[in-house]
Amino acid sequence: MMAPSYRIPNLLSGTAGPSYNSKLMGTAKTDVARRVRQALTRMANRQALGSEVSDQTTSDDLARAARGYLGDAQILIASNREPYQHVQTPSGIEVVRSPGGLASALDSVARATGATWIAQGAADADRLVCDEEGRVRVPPGNERYTLKRLWLEPETRALEYRRFCNGCLWPLCHIVYVRPHFVAPRWRAYQEVNEQFAEAILSSLGARPGLVLLQDYHLGLCASALRARRPDLSIVMFWHIPWPNREVFRTFPWRRELLEGLLACDLVGFHIQYHATNFLDTVAQELESHIDHERFAIRRRGRKTFVRTYPISPDAAEISLAASEPWAARGAEQVREQLRLGDAQVVLGVDRLDYTKGIPERIAAYEHLLENHPELRGRVAFIQIAVPSRVDLPEYQSLAVTVEELTARLNRRFGSADRPAIHLITRNLGFRDLIPYYVLADVAVVSALHDGMNLVAKEYVAAKVQLDGALVLSPFTGAARELDQAIQASPYDTEALAAAIGRALTLDPAERARRMRAMREVVAGQNIYDWARKILRDARRLHLVSGAPRPGASR
Ligand code: ADQ
């Protein structure tokens, strides 16, 4: 195991982004002075933001709750993707935070609870920093929990497993007119990988009591494998993506096996009631079981699985505080200068480059808007940040080409050399690199065709401390259930989406502030720590955790 010099790449040099290069971290007095200044700024911001921030559940609250609910039971988080990747660069090993909602949300939970996180190691320097059991402490420079990496055969990982999860389950659950590929060898690879995850979880746990938090559709069979060897384990699955209706699910050849896998869990969580209801309906159609509609539970072969909703949210306080620090405003100005935006109004999209996110639909709507409102040309700039995703799948390759072509066409029609109508940024940005874009944007457009929740919508709201932004939101996101003060428009309706963007750009400032204030209340009222605390609380209330203090025992 080799000691890397850690550095998280930062787009906006000079901002206070986290830097873990050991050469830079150190003893210098200026460093201490800088930290003191930062702490004082944060205190001032905390006071300025008042109850919006101080009433929120914190990482410490979650840590206390976890101890109280779980006693000496160990928490294990398992997900396909790792929260941090170690990559080789000419200047040494760098640590990159994985993009995507699950990784960013669960990282906060793992930090607070000190859970062990099991995920597959996929980056080129991942092995170099781990011990012989695949373990490494993270995050670098502020180690709070253990990441245990699982090494899968490249062929299983690259071809079968990814293709099954992302080429079959993903389109099956999202229902966005992309046909799922049902290929038997890929299904077998999925089974095999789930077995391997179960092995890794069990070896990490030893004989201790434990609560296993399985994350997402990659691990749909893991609970059966765990249950066979450790019937006493408490197992929770959180399904981060939509659950389809039973008609669509009927087309899936291995539907019974997948449902059996999920029913080996004690608790299955979804973001919204609609998906939870779809799940109950599907079980009722496919398996002989007793559905308890009163308690929202399923009984099958003597065991009970509860189904609950836990709408996920980011760490809103963290985002609000970051957005109100001077570096965020400076970063926003830098972006304005670098992209030569002048005094243009800014429309922003931030997504993984995924066909479910409605990026071509968004660009088409913006084009429609500029076509019909010449007065907006040159006075509005669209920034689309789209991090490449699943690049080995043909659907994603053709999406990338489509987005580039639409961007080029739009710029040919309505942009000029020094004022493009749309800026396409295809990079993965760190948390602190993203914040200035949120601060800068007058309008954020989230136009997903279907989305379990969509964290970008909530992150934008959390960053709009000055109430100076408007959100255009697709009704097909889980977030639309909570953020009803967003301007909602269907991404399938180009004219309606164009009109919504136009309306957001011209919203009266008082109305814009009123809507944003209402949405900020929603986002502040529920953050990632509440999400995790409620799951742990239910695991205890429903008597799922062995080794935990009995309900009513002092905490
Ligand atoms: P995702 O489909 O990945 O998540 P989303 O919820 O929007 O979608 O989360 C994306 C996350 O990645 C956000 O935290 C965002 O800041 C970050 N991100 C996006 N583009 C980025 C970029 N270019 N650089 C850096 N970071 C970027 C899945 C489900 C969602 C569900 C989440 C959480 O599909 O429906 O909300 O899990 O459960």
Side-chain angles (χ1 to χ4, degrees):
M1 172 161 140
M2 132 187 190
S5 102
Y6 288 119
R7 191 163 71 79
I8 292 188
N10 220 1
L11 173 75
L12 301 163
S13 54
T15 63
S19 176
Y20 297 111
N21 188 320
S22 56
K23 286 188 208 125
L24 298 179
M25 290 186 61
T27 51
K29 277 187 198 145
T30 50
D31 195 34
V32 175
R34 183 177 54 80
R35 284 178 190 213
V36 170
R37 264 200 317 276
Q38 279 176 3
L40 290 173
T41 311
R42 288 177 80 75
M43 270 168 60
N45 286 344
R46 207 168 261 282
Q47 267 170 1
L49 287 168
S51 62
E52 234 192 36
V53 157
S54 60
D55 290 350
Q56 292 191 28
T57 304
T58 63
S59 154
D60 288 343
D61 295 333
L62 174 61
R64 266 194 303 279
R67 279 195 298 277
Y69 294 148
L70 303 181
D72 58 358
Q74 169 77 13
I75 302 182
L76 286 114
I77 296 172
S79 70
N80 166 59
R81 183 182 288 239
E82 50 186 350
Y84 296 93
Q85 299 172 346
H86 289 82
V87 290
Q88 293 275 18
T89 71
S91 52
I93 295 176
E94 288 190 354
V95 185
V96 183
R97 244 178 106 146
S98 296
L102 188 156
S104 58
L106 267 290
D107 180 53
S108 312
V109 175
R111 286 180 194 223
T113 58
T116 296
W117 186 329
I118 296 171
Q120 59 161 310
D124 58 4
D126 274 355
R127 276 183 198 266
L128 300 176
V129 297
C130 288
D131 67 11
E132 60 286 354
E133 302 210 4
R135 291 175 305 197
V136 59
R137 297 281 295 167
V138 289
N142 178 24
E143 289 78 7
R144 304 283 287 279
Y145 66 92
T146 297
L147 169 62
K148 178 179 159 67
R149 288 178 169 138
L150 190 64
W151 314 113
L152 301 173
E153 284 299 316
E155 199 181 333
T156 316
R157 186 165 61 79
L159 287 172
E160 318 290 358
Y161 178 52
R162 273 205 208 136
R163 281 180 188 261
F164 181 77
C165 291
N166 298 333
C168 176
L169 284 179
W170 179 267
L172 179 80
C173 290
H174 281 86
I175 326 178
V176 292
Y177 307 103
V178 171
R179 187 175 174 160
H181 301 285
F182 302 126
V183 184
R186 298 179 188 172
W187 162 251
R188 285 195 281 278
Y190 182 73
Q191 290 175 304
E192 188 188 317
V193 169
N194 272 262
E195 283 286 338
Q196 288 185 38
F197 262 94
E199 287 280 343
I201 292 168
L202 292 174
S203 83
S204 189
L205 195 56
R208 287 171 298 173
L211 170 64
V212 182
L213 302 176
L214 299 174
Q215 302 300 317
D216 226 356
Y217 62 103
H218 310 88
L219 300 177
L221 303 177
C222 202
S224 321
L226 290 170
R227 187 69 69 209
R229 276 167 283 174
R230 281 286 304 268
D232 63 303
L233 275 187
S234 311
I235 310 175
V236 176
M237 159 61 81
F238 192 80
W239 195 265
H240 289 259
I241 64 175
W243 188 272
N245 61 53
R246 61 188 187 178
E247 286 313 308
V248 167
F249 196 72
R250 266 180 77 193
T251 61
F252 179 50
W254 306 283
R255 56 195 178 280
R256 300 220 168 90
E257 289 92 326
L258 181 61
L259 290 175
E260 295 276 10
L262 294 173
L263 294 185
C265 298
D266 300 292
L267 176 63
V268 178
F270 296 95
H271 291 298
I272 60 171
Q273 195 57 43
Y274 180 61
H275 301 147
T277 306
N278 275 352
F279 180 68
L280 247 64
D281 271 3
T282 342
V283 173
Q285 173 169 282
E286 300 295 341
L287 298 178
E288 220 169 276
S289 55
H290 173 75
I291 310 279
D292 181 346
H293 288 282
E294 191 81 4
R295 302 194 67 200
F296 237 73
I298 299 156
R299 188 186 290 280
R300 176 165 162 85
R301 295 191 176 143
R303 48 182 343 282
K304 199 176 227 180
T305 302
F306 293 90
V307 180
R308 293 284 182 276
T309 55
Y310 306 97
I312 205 166
S313 274
D315 185 347
E318 179 73 14
I319 295 171
S320 296
L321 285 167
S324 53
E325 285 183 18
W327 63 260
R330 276 201 308 273
E333 275 318 303
Q334 271 180 2
V335 173
R336 193 176 275 287
E337 275 166 33
Q338 280 166 9
L339 300 183
R340 289 179 296 186
L341 303 178
D343 57 0
Q345 280 188 289
V346 175
V347 179
L348 177 71
V350 178
D351 316 77
R352 281 184 309 99
L353 194 41
D354 193 297
Y355 54 77
T356 61
K357 302 293 181 185
I359 302 170
E361 288 77 0
R362 188 181 309 163
I363 299 175
Y366 180 58
E367 186 167 2
H368 188 84
L369 180 70
L370 294 186
E371 218 164 57
N372 292 291
H373 290 274
E375 75 282 5
L376 292 179
R377 296 177 201 163
R379 294 186 44 219
V380 179
F382 192 134
I383 303 176
Q384 175 62 55
I385 304 176
V387 59
S389 186
R390 306 173 187 178
V391 289
D392 50 344
L393 295 184
E395 289 83 356
Y396 287 78
Q397 291 158 4
S398 68
L399 173 72
V401 172
T402 305
V403 168
E404 286 197 1
E405 282 173 359
L406 289 174
T407 300
R409 188 178 76 187
L410 186 63
N411 280 335
R412 262 196 317 276
R413 288 189 69 193
F414 301 122
S416 59
D418 56 327
R419 276 240 166 147
I422 177 165
H423 300 261
L424 180 63
I425 300 173
T426 52
R427 270 197 301 266
N428 183 22
L429 306 185
F431 169 76
R432 290 191 174 226
D433 298 328
L434 209 47
I435 296 288
Y437 287 92
Y438 287 145
V439 170
L440 177 67
D442 299 286
V443 174
V445 186
V446 171
S447 54
L449 306 179
H450 202 181
D451 219 331
M453 173 54 67
N454 194 288
L455 287 174
V456 170
K458 292 184 171 181
E459 289 169 5
Y460 178 66
V461 168
K464 279 303 179 197
V465 177
Q466 307 289 340
L467 311 178
D468 56 347
L471 175 65
V472 175
L473 183 58
S474 158
F476 309 121
T477 59
R481 305 292 198 281
E482 296 167 88
L483 302 178
D484 58 1
Q485 291 300 310
I487 300 177
Q488 296 203 7
S490 166
Y492 291 102
D493 184 341
T494 307
E495 287 185 10
L497 185 55
I501 299 173
R503 180 156 176 241
L505 282 167
T506 52
L507 213 54
D508 166 68
E511 170 68 359
R512 194 176 59 180
R514 185 193 66 73
R515 285 170 178 263
M516 188 51 79
R517 190 175 295 111
M519 290 192 286
R520 288 180 62 77
E521 270 170 28
V522 172
V523 169
Q526 278 211 8
N527 64 20
I528 184 64
Y529 304 113
D530 292 305
W531 177 83
R533 188 165 67 166
K534 282 177 191 153
I535 293 176
L536 300 186
R537 181 203 61 197
D538 283 357
R540 174 166 178 262
R541 263 198 204 154
L542 302 169
H543 308 285
L544 306 180
V545 183
S546 57
R550 286 189 319 280
S554 64
R555 295 203 256 135

